[in-house]
Amino acid sequence: IGSGKGTVIHALIHELDLTPVPTHTTRPVRGDDPALSHRIFETETNFLRHRDRGEFIESIELAGHYYGLLRHDLESVINHQHGAVIELNVDGGIKIVKEYHQTLLLYLCSSEKLRRERIANRHMNKSEIEGRMKEARREDKLAKRSYDYLIENIENHPEEAIEGIKKIVVGRFPQLTA
C-alpha cells in the first residue's frame, strides 16, 4: 500500500515483456489509474456476482471497496505460456502461491513517511489514510515471513528497485530477458 507498485510494475511490463494480469475492483478510478493500473473497475453488483460464483482466486474488502483476481484472467495468461505480473496485496500473493507453485512473491516496501505521502496524494480522509497505514504495517510483517524477496523502493529512485527485481526475475526465469 503506497509503496510505488504501479510505477515499478509498469516498467517491468515493458522491460521484461511481461503480461499484466488485471485485478478487479469496485473502488473509484484515480488519476494515475489509466497510465499505471491494470484494473478492471466493476460495479459492486457485478463484483459480488463473480465472488458468489467462486470465480475469484482471491478477493478482499479494503477501505469499503472490493478487490479480486479472477481465475480466468490468470489462467488465460498462463495458458499462453507468457510471463505474468500481478499487483496484489500480501494475503492475495500467499493464496496465489499455494495454487500456482511457480509464483515468485516480491514485496515492494518503502518508508512509512513516503507511503503516507503517496496515500495522502490520493485525496483520502484522515481516517482512510490511517486505516491504509495500519494495513501497510500489517502487510510488512506478513511479507517478511511469507514472501521470497523484499525490495526497497527508495524515494525518487524507483530504477534501483526495478533493476533489482529484473535481476531476481531473470535469474529465476531465464527465458525472460531484460
Side-chain angles (χ1 to χ4, degrees), residues 2 110-118 153-155:
S110 60
S111 71
E112 186 161 329
K113 175 184 174 273
L114 184 56
R115 281 184 178 177
R116 185 174 294 281
E117 287 172 8
R118 286 181 178 141
N153 190 13
I154 300 168
E155 184 175 9

Side-chain angles (χ1 to χ4, degrees), residues 131-168:
R132 291 288 181 126
M133 292 303 297
K134 182 179 178 182
E135 178 64 13
R137 288 188 291 275
R138 184 194 72 79
E139 284 194 347
D140 282 349
K141 291 176 185 171
L142 185 55
K144 287 176 184 173
R145 292 192 312 265
S146 307
Y147 270 47
D148 299 310
Y149 296 92
L150 304 176
I151 292 89
E152 181 75 22
N153 190 13
I154 300 168
E155 184 175 9
N156 299 321
H157 293 285
E159 70 280 357
E160 293 179 22
I162 292 163
E163 288 305 313
I165 292 170
K166 283 170 42 180
K167 288 178 186 173
I168 291 167

Side-chain angles (χ1 to χ4, degrees), residues 63-174:
H65 304 290
Y66 293 100
Y67 298 81
L69 174 65
L70 283 176
R71 181 175 308 281
H72 175 268
D73 292 338
L74 177 58
E75 291 188 355
S76 70
V77 173
I78 291 171
N79 290 338
H80 286 95
Q81 299 181 342
H82 200 275
V85 63
I86 312 166
E87 180 181 343
L88 295 168
N89 73 344
V90 173
D91 298 287
I94 292 168
K95 288 177 186 175
I96 297 297
V97 79
K98 288 179 182 177
E99 220 174 307
Y100 299 89
H101 303 294
Q102 290 290 328
T103 302
L104 177 61
L105 294 177
L106 305 169
Y107 183 71
L108 194 63
C109 45
S110 60
S111 71
E112 186 161 329
K113 175 184 174 273
L114 184 56
R115 281 184 178 177
R116 185 174 294 281
E117 287 172 8
R118 286 181 178 141
I119 292 169
N121 285 336
R122 296 176 182 165
H123 306 293
M124 296 178 180
N125 66 42
K126 186 174 181 166
S127 173
E128 290 173 312
I129 292 169
E130 291 311 313
R132 291 288 181 126
M133 292 303 297
K134 182 179 178 182
E135 178 64 13
R137 288 188 291 275
R138 184 194 72 79
E139 284 194 347
D140 282 349
K141 291 176 185 171
L142 185 55
K144 287 176 184 173
R145 292 192 312 265
S146 307
Y147 270 47
D148 299 310
Y149 296 92
L150 304 176
I151 292 89
E152 181 75 22
N153 190 13
I154 300 168
E155 184 175 9
N156 299 321
H157 293 285
E159 70 280 357
E160 293 179 22
I162 292 163
E163 288 305 313
I165 292 170
K166 283 170 42 180
K167 288 178 186 173
I168 291 167
V169 171
V170 171
R172 173 90 175 264
F173 303 103

